[in-house]
């Protein structure tokens, strides 16, 4: 995985002040998750998939600036990239990852 890209994205959010919503009204976590997966492994996911993933893990951002996302959401992005890198060429990828509380959550991300 390209950790330089992840670092650049994280740094850009930290410098921007971690606003709650992006210019088009979507929560910033959807942008973060989608860009992390797209830049990390080239999986062109839909906005609907990013929305469902961020709602599944409900990351904590507003008051805690050191934490860009919930650990479960980061694990989900890494799991999606692992499946893509291991030859997952299907339209939808399904992964199960634990959230911050250790509960296994299943998400399905679809290609555009």
């Amino acid at each position: 995985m390209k950790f330089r890209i992840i670092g650049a994205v994280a740094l850009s959010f930290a410098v921007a002040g971690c606003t709650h919503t992006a210019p088009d009204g979507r929560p910033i976590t959807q942008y973060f998750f989608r860009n992390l997966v797209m830049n990390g492994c080239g999986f062109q996911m839909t906005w609907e998939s990013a929305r469902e993933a961020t709602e599944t893990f409900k990351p904590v951002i507003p008051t805690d600036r050191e934490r860009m996302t919930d650990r479960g959401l980061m694990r989900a992005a890494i799991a999606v990239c692992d499946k893509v890198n291991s030859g997952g060429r299907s339209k939808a990828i399904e992964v199960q990852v634990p959230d911050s509380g250790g509960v296994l959550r299943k998400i399905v991300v679809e290609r555009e």
Side-chain angles (χ1 to χ4, degrees):
M1 202 163 141
K2 301 174 184 173
F3 289 106
R4 281 183 262 158
I5 293 172
I6 294 170
V9 170
L11 180 62
S12 67
F13 282 128
V15 170
C18 297
T19 59
H20 300 283
T21 58
D24 67 354
R26 290 188 174 110
I28 201 74
T29 54
Q30 287 179 18
Y31 277 100
F32 179 73
F33 181 70
R34 186 170 185 262
N35 287 337
L36 181 65
V37 172
M38 287 174 58
N39 292 332
C41 57
F43 185 79
Q44 302 290 324
M45 76 167 47
T46 63
W47 282 108
E48 182 65 24
S49 294
R51 184 189 61 77
E52 289 174 5
T54 55
E55 286 180 1
T56 299
F57 289 101
K58 292 183 178 56
V60 179
I61 283 186
T63 58
D64 195 4
R65 285 195 175 193
E66 318 65 73
R67 292 179 49 169
M68 287 301 291
T69 64
D70 182 68
R71 283 181 284 169
L73 196 58
M74 287 296 283
R75 289 179 189 149
I78 292 169
V80 168
C81 284
D82 285 345
K83 280 226 175 171
V84 168
N85 291 337
S86 67
R89 300 283 179 216
S90 63
K91 175 98 172 131
I93 293 179
E94 179 179 314
V95 293
Q96 286 188 336
V97 292
D99 63 4
S100 295
V103 177
L104 262 177
R105 306 268 183 199
K106 179 172 78 170
I107 61 167
V108 177
V109 292
E110 297 178 354
R111 286 188 197 272
E112 287 186 335

